[in-house]
Amino acid sequence: MSELRHPIGTFDVLAPDSRRWEALLAVFARVVEGAGYGLVITPTFEDLQVFQRVGASTDIVRKEMYDFEDKGGRRVALRPEVTASVVRAFIQHRPTTPWKAWYAGSNFRYESPQAGRYREFHQVGIEVFGAADADLDVEVMALGWEFYRALGLRRVELMVNSLGDATCRPPYRALLIEYLEARSGDLCDEHRDRFRENPLRVLDCKRPTCKAVAADAPKQVEHLCDACGAHFARATGGLDALGIPWTLATNLVRGLDYYTRTTFEYAGLALDSAQNAVGGGGRYDALVEEMGGPSTPGIGFALGVERILMACDAEGTLAAPDAAVDVFVVDFAGGDAARDLTAQLRAAGVRADRSFDGRSAKAQFKVADRSGARLALVVGPDDAAAGTVMIRPLTGDRTQWATPRDQVVAEVARLLGS
Ligand code: ATP
Ligand code: MG
């Protein structure tokens, strides 16, 4: 029988690498909870409708989605992103606004797997509903920035654009279509036929032909209405005021269609450019209403965990934190002490481990050393008879001493505390 392996485009994470994931999530929770965001947990799959409404004409929804019919005949999809689910949850539960939520979890896209591009990948993100203020755009962009800084990343670039709104996007769109009509022969095969349906996708196309056409295309930031212009000035001025460097990226449109006004992306400059987007987001002031809810502005970002960890590798930051136990119980007197002492230590809040299967003293000491524990508690037949436990440091001078069995837990807690 052939060996079973994880599916193509997925991966396993084992300790100690998984400790970096824990550390990353803890840093993210600290940064966003410190700004008033609360964790939201939504299902990993939804009615297909939920995603079709956010991006019916995008690659993510048209080509990459894991959708299928379940055993009850319902059309469902594994989520390719989380925003749509959070919007669905907002509409369903109507929390008081402004509602600030954060999430962490996996997404599924049927892409060509390569370094930094997987079929199941993980994101952390935030969403805010019910505030149109440009200063919220500043808060959201700054929180992402602060998170990367807190991980130790220094080579991240924040790129910002505005996609306008219902007033200035339609005339810009018409202008863009007009420009693309004249250049349609230079577009890639896919967009030559499809650009009228969704001309902004051409600006997001990674093929060199479309890139060349996009370079000279009219820019939305040069065709904003007064309200969008003022919003963009306040948002980017806020970044300047907070000392956060940013660059104007006039062709940044993002992979989904729901964005309005401010859109942004973080690039990991230490990464290979094909997969260097470490996160992105923007405003989606029309999305809640488009999905059947009350007219409610919204904004958020999603950051890619795998790519962030790759950037951390490239910049030599976020080492796996040490998670060793403090104490290892070595019992070669039958096992009762190992059973009971380990439980008592853990109940007292001491990180403790032990061996099983009655292994030899020598084998147990080997495991104790490997465990990274600072102390071994040793119980041999003589100790068991005398009602004592040997305390033996596992680093430096290993001189051990005897302590009465009923005092050893308190003694260990005292030693570790100092
Ligand atoms: P890209 O342009 O690199 O395909 P995207 O615009 O499709 O990214 P988003 O939908 O904005 O990505 O998701 C936010 C972040 O999630 C990205 O910036 C990236 O870090 C990460 N991400 C997206 N797709 C993948 C994937 N297939 N594997 C790993 N990470 C991903
Ligand atoms: Mg993509």
Side-chain angles (χ1 to χ4, degrees):
M1 213 172 81
S2 68
E3 191 188 343
L4 297 174
R5 298 179 53 83
H6 59 63
I8 292 169
T10 67
F11 52 84
D12 306 308
V13 188
L14 280 58
D17 283 346
S18 53
R19 290 210 282 272
R20 300 178 80 205
W21 287 67
E22 293 184 273
L24 182 148
L25 293 174
V27 170
F28 188 74
R30 173 166 60 72
V31 168
V32 297
E33 291 190 345
Y37 293 71
L39 176 65
V40 59
I41 298 168
T42 62
T44 311
F45 67 93
E46 299 269 358
D47 280 346
L48 181 61
Q49 283 277 311
V50 170
F51 305 113
Q52 275 179 338
R53 291 219 207 161
V54 301
S57 69
T58 64
D59 281 0
I60 293 176
V61 171
R62 282 175 50 239
K63 299 186 197 157
E64 299 172 0
M65 208 149 62
Y66 281 87
D67 54 325
F68 55 96
E69 194 168 291
D70 74 8
K71 293 187 199 307
R74 296 173 200 87
R75 292 290 295 173
V76 297
L78 303 184
R79 65 180 178 205
E81 59 118 41
V82 185
T83 304
S85 299
V86 180
V87 171
R88 197 266 310 137
F90 173 77
I91 293 169
Q92 184 173 341
H93 302 285
R94 304 285 171 96
T96 319
T97 56
W99 185 56
K100 297 170 110 179
W102 72 273
Y103 61 79
S106 50
N107 301 295
F108 305 83
R109 296 183 193 175
Y110 197 78
E111 302 203 68
S112 307
Q114 50 203 289
R117 197 172 291 284
Y118 307 96
R119 290 185 174 169
E120 178 172 4
F121 65 97
H122 299 75
Q123 291 180 334
V124 292
I126 60 176
E127 313 288 353
V128 188
F129 296 85
D133 195 328
D135 287 0
L136 176 60
D137 305 32
V138 179
E139 169 175 305
V140 168
M141 289 187 279
L143 283 171
W145 182 259
E146 224 179 279
F147 168 60
Y148 295 123
R149 304 294 289 182
L151 293 176
L153 292 173
R154 294 296 174 267
R155 301 191 56 210
V156 174
E157 184 183 18
L158 170 58
M159 295 170 296
V160 188
N161 192 21
S162 174
L163 292 181
D165 66 2
T167 306
C168 53
R169 176 95 65 91
Y172 166 72
R173 196 172 176 276
L175 206 63
L176 183 58
I177 290 178
E178 195 181 311
Y179 169 82
L180 295 174
E181 295 279 6
R183 300 283 305 267
S184 63
D186 301 333
L187 296 175
C188 74
D189 291 349
E190 182 187 346
H191 288 118
R192 195 175 311 130
D193 304 329
R194 291 177 50 88
F195 72 88
R196 285 174 204 85
E197 183 190 333
N198 193 340
L200 266 66
R201 292 268 66 84
V202 175
L203 305 182
D204 196 38
C205 182
K206 303 209 164 73
R207 295 181 194 98
T209 45
C210 282
K211 277 192 158 174
V213 175
D216 300 324
K219 305 181 186 332
Q220 175 75 70
V221 277
E222 289 165 8
H223 297 89
L224 295 176
C225 60
D226 290 348
C228 285
H231 187 97
F232 192 61
R234 177 80 192 171
T236 53
L239 292 172
D240 293 337
L242 298 191
I244 297 172
W246 61 278
T247 55
L248 180 63
T250 52
N251 282 349
L252 178 69
V253 299
R254 319 267 309 115
L256 288 153
D257 286 335
Y258 48 64
Y259 291 102
T260 54
R261 293 194 165 171
T262 312
T263 48
F264 57 95
E265 217 160 87
Y266 304 95
L269 301 181
L271 295 179
D272 197 41
S273 68
Q275 264 82 238
N276 78 350
V278 290
R283 242 188 204 286
Y284 43 81
D285 290 342
L287 183 60
V288 174
E289 194 170 10
E290 275 168 25
M291 286 184 67
S295 169
T296 310
I299 181 170
F301 66 53
L303 317 179
V305 173
E306 290 82 2
R307 298 214 192 146
I308 294 170
L309 289 173
M310 285 168 68
C312 287
D313 286 337
E315 291 199 38
T317 181
L318 195 70
D322 188 12
V325 294
D326 293 314
V327 177
F328 201 95
V329 180
V330 173
D331 177 343
F332 46 100
D336 289 0
R339 180 189 64 202
D340 302 343
L341 251 183
T342 311
Q344 286 166 12
L345 287 162
R346 291 174 184 165
V350 175
R351 300 152 63 91
D353 202 1
R354 53 160 294 183
S355 289
F356 293 97
D357 293 332
R359 305 179 74 184
S360 70
K362 190 171 161 222
Q364 291 189 48
F365 274 117
K366 217 162 140 186
V367 183
D369 275 326
R370 228 182 15 226
S371 76
R374 291 153 65 187
L375 298 174
L377 297 188
V378 186
V379 183
D382 296 347
D383 309 297
T388 56
V389 176
M390 289 293 179
I391 300 180
R392 174 152 156 182
L394 290 173
T395 53
D397 175 11
R398 296 186 169 219
T399 311
Q400 59 181 13
W401 67 94
T403 305
R405 171 74 179 78
D406 57 358
Q407 287 167 33
V408 72
V409 173
E411 174 73 358
V412 164
R414 196 185 58 76
L415 286 168
L416 293 172
S418 59

